[in-house]
Amino acid sequence: IIEEYIEKVGKTFGSVFDENLHIGLLDHLNFSIYRYKNNVTLNNIFIDEMSMMYEKEYAFAKVMLKDLNRRLDVKLPEAEAVFIALHIHSSIKGEKASQTALYLKIIGDCLQFLEDELRISLDPLSIEKTRLITHLKFALKRASEHKPIQNVMTASLKNAFPKTFQVATEMAKKIEENYAIVLPEGEIGYLTMHIENIIQHKN
């Protein structure tokens, strides 16, 4: 079943993928079935983030998971689609699945931080949340690869929205403290813009 779907990966995404996908996906799903048969639960982590960041891979993974459950007579949870999508995305982009999972974890932490700090509940499918997630994804990648971004608006944003800039700075500090990834001030300026858009939308 997995080989059948790996063949579909090439046709669906029109990409050359890392051959390690054969082993990685088989190994993961074999262990998933072991967990299922031994009643070991898996939390629904990263589902919102994955569906926004890697929509096409996640949609593919959901179809695969549904078919897998039917043909093997199991009931693997939807969270497994996240991991299937992780493996697919990583193999296409030549990235490590662990790195993609780390970014998802950091973004999830950032969204939770915002909700706590601003005392709001983020709209699951709002364009403002989607834009923030997208920016964070690329900001983390740039920071990890030490590729700083120029932002000529940073000083203006800092002056116009000092409280929001402080929230963005605190978010960046949390990322540095917990994950040793340093976001430069240019990235914090863009985060300020995205967070302010969320605040304005809520208001």
Side-chain angles (χ1 to χ4, degrees), residues 15-50:
S15 306
V16 176
F17 56 84
D18 190 323
E19 290 298 318
N20 287 327
L21 182 62
H22 295 272
I23 297 171
L25 198 53
L26 176 61
D27 186 56
H28 175 80
L29 286 171
N30 187 51
F31 188 56
S32 299
I33 292 167
Y34 171 84
R35 280 199 304 267
Y36 167 76
K37 290 182 175 178
N38 287 275
N39 297 314
V40 179
T41 57
L42 186 68
N43 294 326
N44 290 340
I45 54 172
F46 310 144
I47 288 180
D48 287 347
E49 292 84 353
M50 176 58 77

Short mmCIF file of all heavy atoms in Angstrom, two decimals, residues 15-50:
data_model
loop_
_atom_site.label_atom_id
_atom_site.label_comp_id
_atom_site.label_asym_id
_atom_site.label_seq_id
_atom_site.Cartn_x
_atom_site.Cartn_y
_atom_site.Cartn_z
N SER A 15 7.42 15.94 -8.47
CA SER A 15 8.73 16.26 -7.92
C SER A 15 9.58 15.00 -7.78
O SER A 15 9.06 13.89 -7.65
CB SER A 15 8.59 16.91 -6.54
OG SER A 15 7.72 18.02 -6.60
N VAL A 16 10.86 15.22 -7.76
CA VAL A 16 11.78 14.14 -7.41
C VAL A 16 11.83 14.10 -5.89
O VAL A 16 12.02 15.13 -5.24
CB VAL A 16 13.19 14.40 -7.97
CG1 VAL A 16 14.16 13.31 -7.51
CG2 VAL A 16 13.14 14.46 -9.49
N PHE A 17 11.63 12.93 -5.29
CA PHE A 17 11.64 12.85 -3.84
C PHE A 17 12.79 11.99 -3.35
O PHE A 17 13.34 11.16 -4.08
CB PHE A 17 10.30 12.31 -3.32
CG PHE A 17 9.91 10.96 -3.89
CD1 PHE A 17 10.39 9.78 -3.33
CD2 PHE A 17 9.06 10.88 -4.99
CE1 PHE A 17 10.03 8.56 -3.86
CE2 PHE A 17 8.71 9.65 -5.52
CZ PHE A 17 9.20 8.49 -4.96
N ASP A 18 13.14 12.21 -2.10
CA ASP A 18 14.22 11.47 -1.47
C ASP A 18 13.82 10.00 -1.35
O ASP A 18 12.74 9.69 -0.85
CB ASP A 18 14.49 12.06 -0.08
CG ASP A 18 15.75 11.52 0.56
OD1 ASP A 18 16.04 10.32 0.38
OD2 ASP A 18 16.43 12.28 1.25
N GLU A 19 14.70 9.11 -1.79
CA GLU A 19 14.40 7.68 -1.76
C GLU A 19 14.22 7.13 -0.35
O GLU A 19 13.66 6.05 -0.16
CB GLU A 19 15.52 6.90 -2.49
CG GLU A 19 15.53 7.11 -3.99
CD GLU A 19 14.24 6.63 -4.68
OE1 GLU A 19 13.74 5.55 -4.31
OE2 GLU A 19 13.74 7.34 -5.56
N ASN A 20 14.70 7.87 0.65
CA ASN A 20 14.51 7.45 2.04
C ASN A 20 13.04 7.43 2.44
O ASN A 20 12.69 6.89 3.48
CB ASN A 20 15.28 8.37 2.99
CG ASN A 20 16.77 8.13 2.92
OD1 ASN A 20 17.22 7.02 2.69
ND2 ASN A 20 17.55 9.19 3.10
N LEU A 21 12.19 8.04 1.60
CA LEU A 21 10.75 8.02 1.89
C LEU A 21 10.23 6.59 1.97
O LEU A 21 9.34 6.29 2.78
CB LEU A 21 9.99 8.79 0.80
CG LEU A 21 8.47 8.90 0.97
CD1 LEU A 21 8.11 9.65 2.25
CD2 LEU A 21 7.84 9.61 -0.24
N HIS A 22 10.76 5.69 1.15
CA HIS A 22 10.32 4.29 1.16
C HIS A 22 10.47 3.68 2.55
O HIS A 22 9.56 3.06 3.07
CB HIS A 22 11.14 3.47 0.15
CG HIS A 22 10.93 3.88 -1.27
ND1 HIS A 22 9.92 3.35 -2.06
CD2 HIS A 22 11.60 4.76 -2.05
CE1 HIS A 22 9.98 3.89 -3.27
NE2 HIS A 22 10.99 4.75 -3.28
N ILE A 23 11.64 3.89 3.15
CA ILE A 23 11.91 3.30 4.46
C ILE A 23 11.24 4.11 5.57
O ILE A 23 10.62 3.55 6.47
CB ILE A 23 13.44 3.23 4.71
CG1 ILE A 23 14.08 2.30 3.67
CG2 ILE A 23 13.73 2.74 6.13
CD1 ILE A 23 15.58 2.32 3.69
N GLY A 24 11.37 5.44 5.49
CA GLY A 24 10.84 6.30 6.55
C GLY A 24 9.35 6.15 6.76
O GLY A 24 8.86 6.02 7.89
N LEU A 25 8.60 6.15 5.66
CA LEU A 25 7.14 6.06 5.74
C LEU A 25 6.70 4.67 6.17
O LEU A 25 5.79 4.52 7.00
CB LEU A 25 6.52 6.42 4.38
CG LEU A 25 5.04 6.79 4.38
CD1 LEU A 25 4.72 7.88 5.38
CD2 LEU A 25 4.62 7.23 2.98
N LEU A 26 7.35 3.66 5.64
CA LEU A 26 7.02 2.27 6.02
C LEU A 26 7.29 2.06 7.51
O LEU A 26 6.45 1.51 8.23
CB LEU A 26 7.85 1.29 5.20
CG LEU A 26 7.69 -0.20 5.55
CD1 LEU A 26 6.26 -0.65 5.35
CD2 LEU A 26 8.65 -1.05 4.74
N ASP A 27 8.44 2.52 7.96
CA ASP A 27 8.82 2.36 9.36
C ASP A 27 7.84 3.09 10.27
O ASP A 27 7.39 2.55 11.30
CB ASP A 27 10.24 2.89 9.58
CG ASP A 27 10.75 2.62 10.98
OD1 ASP A 27 10.75 1.45 11.39
OD2 ASP A 27 11.14 3.58 11.67
N HIS A 28 7.49 4.32 9.90
CA HIS A 28 6.58 5.10 10.74
C HIS A 28 5.20 4.45 10.83
O HIS A 28 4.63 4.30 11.92
CB HIS A 28 6.42 6.53 10.22
CG HIS A 28 5.41 7.31 10.99
ND1 HIS A 28 5.69 7.88 12.21
CD2 HIS A 28 4.10 7.56 10.75
CE1 HIS A 28 4.59 8.45 12.68
NE2 HIS A 28 3.62 8.28 11.81
N LEU A 29 4.65 4.05 9.69
CA LEU A 29 3.30 3.50 9.70
C LEU A 29 3.26 2.11 10.32
O LEU A 29 2.26 1.73 10.94
CB LEU A 29 2.73 3.49 8.28
CG LEU A 29 2.35 4.88 7.79
CD1 LEU A 29 2.00 4.88 6.31
CD2 LEU A 29 1.17 5.44 8.58
N ASN A 30 4.33 1.37 10.20
CA ASN A 30 4.41 0.07 10.87
C ASN A 30 4.31 0.27 12.39
O ASN A 30 3.60 -0.46 13.09
CB ASN A 30 5.72 -0.63 10.50
CG ASN A 30 5.78 -2.05 11.03
OD1 ASN A 30 4.87 -2.84 10.81
ND2 ASN A 30 6.86 -2.38 11.72
N PHE A 31 5.02 1.28 12.88
CA PHE A 31 4.99 1.58 14.31
C PHE A 31 3.63 2.16 14.72
O PHE A 31 3.14 1.91 15.82
CB PHE A 31 6.12 2.54 14.68
CG PHE A 31 6.27 2.74 16.16
CD1 PHE A 31 6.48 1.67 17.02
CD2 PHE A 31 6.21 4.01 16.70
CE1 PHE A 31 6.62 1.85 18.38
CE2 PHE A 31 6.34 4.21 18.07
CZ PHE A 31 6.56 3.13 18.92
N SER A 32 3.00 2.91 13.80
CA SER A 32 1.66 3.47 14.07
C SER A 32 0.65 2.35 14.31
O SER A 32 -0.20 2.43 15.20
CB SER A 32 1.20 4.33 12.90
OG SER A 32 2.07 5.40 12.70
N ILE A 33 0.74 1.31 13.48
CA ILE A 33 -0.18 0.17 13.62
C ILE A 33 0.10 -0.58 14.92
O ILE A 33 -0.82 -1.03 15.61
CB ILE A 33 -0.07 -0.75 12.38
CG1 ILE A 33 -0.63 -0.01 11.16
CG2 ILE A 33 -0.83 -2.05 12.60
CD1 ILE A 33 -0.32 -0.66 9.83
N TYR A 34 1.39 -0.66 15.28
CA TYR A 34 1.76 -1.28 16.55
C TYR A 34 1.13 -0.50 17.71
O TYR A 34 0.57 -1.09 18.64
CB TYR A 34 3.28 -1.32 16.69
CG TYR A 34 3.75 -1.74 18.07
CD1 TYR A 34 3.87 -3.09 18.41
CD2 TYR A 34 4.06 -0.78 19.03
CE1 TYR A 34 4.30 -3.48 19.67
CE2 TYR A 34 4.49 -1.16 20.30
CZ TYR A 34 4.59 -2.50 20.62
OH TYR A 34 5.00 -2.87 21.87
N ARG A 35 1.23 0.83 17.65
CA ARG A 35 0.63 1.67 18.71
C ARG A 35 -0.87 1.44 18.79
O ARG A 35 -1.45 1.33 19.86
CB ARG A 35 0.92 3.15 18.43
CG ARG A 35 2.29 3.61 18.82
CD ARG A 35 2.35 5.13 18.96
NE ARG A 35 1.91 5.79 17.73
CZ ARG A 35 2.73 6.17 16.76
NH1 ARG A 35 4.02 5.95 16.87
NH2 ARG A 35 2.26 6.76 15.68
N TYR A 36 -1.51 1.40 17.61
CA TYR A 36 -2.97 1.21 17.56
C TYR A 36 -3.37 -0.11 18.20
O TYR A 36 -4.30 -0.16 19.01
CB TYR A 36 -3.44 1.26 16.10
CG TYR A 36 -4.85 0.77 15.89
CD1 TYR A 36 -5.94 1.57 16.24
CD2 TYR A 36 -5.10 -0.50 15.36
CE1 TYR A 36 -7.24 1.13 16.06
CE2 TYR A 36 -6.39 -0.94 15.18
CZ TYR A 36 -7.46 -0.13 15.53
OH TYR A 36 -8.74 -0.58 15.35
N LYS A 37 -2.66 -1.18 17.86
CA LYS A 37 -3.01 -2.50 18.38
C LYS A 37 -2.72 -2.64 19.87
O LYS A 37 -3.27 -3.51 20.54
CB LYS A 37 -2.27 -3.58 17.59
CG LYS A 37 -2.80 -3.72 16.17
CD LYS A 37 -2.09 -4.84 15.40
CE LYS A 37 -2.73 -5.01 14.02
NZ LYS A 37 -2.04 -6.07 13.23
N ASN A 38 -1.85 -1.77 20.38
CA ASN A 38 -1.51 -1.82 21.81
C ASN A 38 -2.13 -0.65 22.59
O ASN A 38 -1.71 -0.37 23.72
CB ASN A 38 0.01 -1.83 21.98
CG ASN A 38 0.62 -3.16 21.57
OD1 ASN A 38 0.68 -4.10 22.37
ND2 ASN A 38 1.06 -3.26 20.33
N ASN A 39 -3.12 0.00 21.96
CA ASN A 39 -3.88 1.08 22.61
C ASN A 39 -3.00 2.22 23.14
O ASN A 39 -3.24 2.76 24.22
CB ASN A 39 -4.73 0.52 23.76
CG ASN A 39 -5.77 -0.46 23.27
OD1 ASN A 39 -6.48 -0.20 22.30
ND2 ASN A 39 -5.87 -1.61 23.94
N VAL A 40 -1.98 2.57 22.36
CA VAL A 40 -1.14 3.72 22.70
C VAL A 40 -1.65 4.91 21.90
O VAL A 40 -1.63 4.88 20.67
CB VAL A 40 0.34 3.46 22.36
CG1 VAL A 40 1.19 4.69 22.70
CG2 VAL A 40 0.85 2.24 23.11
N THR A 41 -2.17 5.92 22.58
CA THR A 41 -2.81 7.05 21.89
C THR A 41 -1.78 8.07 21.41
O THR A 41 -0.70 8.20 21.98
CB THR A 41 -3.82 7.76 22.80
OG1 THR A 41 -3.15 8.20 23.99
CG2 THR A 41 -4.95 6.81 23.18
N LEU A 42 -2.16 8.79 20.36
CA LEU A 42 -1.33 9.85 19.80
C LEU A 42 -2.15 11.12 19.78
O LEU A 42 -3.26 11.15 19.25
CB LEU A 42 -0.90 9.47 18.37
CG LEU A 42 0.10 10.39 17.67
CD1 LEU A 42 1.46 10.31 18.35
CD2 LEU A 42 0.23 9.99 16.20
N ASN A 43 -1.62 12.18 20.37
CA ASN A 43 -2.35 13.44 20.42
C ASN A 43 -2.45 14.07 19.03
O ASN A 43 -1.58 13.88 18.19
CB ASN A 43 -1.66 14.43 21.37
CG ASN A 43 -1.72 13.96 22.81
OD1 ASN A 43 -2.69 13.33 23.22
ND2 ASN A 43 -0.68 14.25 23.57
N ASN A 44 -3.52 14.86 18.83
CA ASN A 44 -3.73 15.53 17.54
C ASN A 44 -2.87 16.79 17.45
O ASN A 44 -3.37 17.92 17.45
CB ASN A 44 -5.21 15.90 17.37
CG ASN A 44 -6.08 14.68 17.18
OD1 ASN A 44 -5.58 13.63 16.81
ND2 ASN A 44 -7.35 14.81 17.43
N ILE A 45 -1.55 16.59 17.40
CA ILE A 45 -0.63 17.72 17.37
C ILE A 45 -0.46 18.26 15.96
O ILE A 45 -0.50 17.52 14.99
CB ILE A 45 0.75 17.32 17.94
CG1 ILE A 45 1.29 16.09 17.20
CG2 ILE A 45 0.67 17.05 19.42
CD1 ILE A 45 2.71 15.73 17.55
N PHE A 46 -0.32 19.56 15.86
CA PHE A 46 0.07 20.25 14.62
C PHE A 46 -1.00 20.20 13.51
O PHE A 46 -0.71 20.62 12.40
CB PHE A 46 1.35 19.66 14.02
CG PHE A 46 2.50 19.53 14.96
CD1 PHE A 46 3.37 18.46 14.88
CD2 PHE A 46 2.74 20.50 15.93
CE1 PHE A 46 4.46 18.35 15.73
CE2 PHE A 46 3.82 20.39 16.80
CZ PHE A 46 4.68 19.30 16.70
N ILE A 47 -2.19 19.70 13.78
CA ILE A 47 -3.15 19.52 12.67
C ILE A 47 -3.48 20.85 12.00
O ILE A 47 -3.44 20.96 10.77
CB ILE A 47 -4.42 18.80 13.15
CG1 ILE A 47 -4.10 17.32 13.44
CG2 ILE A 47 -5.54 18.90 12.11
CD1 ILE A 47 -5.27 16.50 13.93
N ASP A 48 -3.80 21.88 12.80
CA ASP A 48 -4.14 23.19 12.22
C ASP A 48 -2.96 23.76 11.45
O ASP A 48 -3.11 24.27 10.34
CB ASP A 48 -4.56 24.17 13.32
CG ASP A 48 -5.94 23.85 13.88
OD1 ASP A 48 -6.65 23.04 13.26
OD2 ASP A 48 -6.29 24.40 14.94
N GLU A 49 -1.77 23.70 12.08
CA GLU A 49 -0.58 24.27 11.45
C GLU A 49 -0.24 23.54 10.15
O GLU A 49 0.08 24.15 9.13
CB GLU A 49 0.62 24.21 12.42
CG GLU A 49 0.49 25.13 13.63
CD GLU A 49 -0.31 24.52 14.76
OE1 GLU A 49 -0.89 23.43 14.57
OE2 GLU A 49 -0.36 25.13 15.84
N MET A 50 -0.30 22.20 10.19
CA MET A 50 0.03 21.41 9.00
C MET A 50 -0.95 21.69 7.87
O MET A 50 -0.55 21.84 6.70
CB MET A 50 0.01 19.92 9.34
CG MET A 50 0.24 18.99 8.15
SD MET A 50 1.79 19.26 7.27
CE MET A 50 2.95 18.48 8.39
#
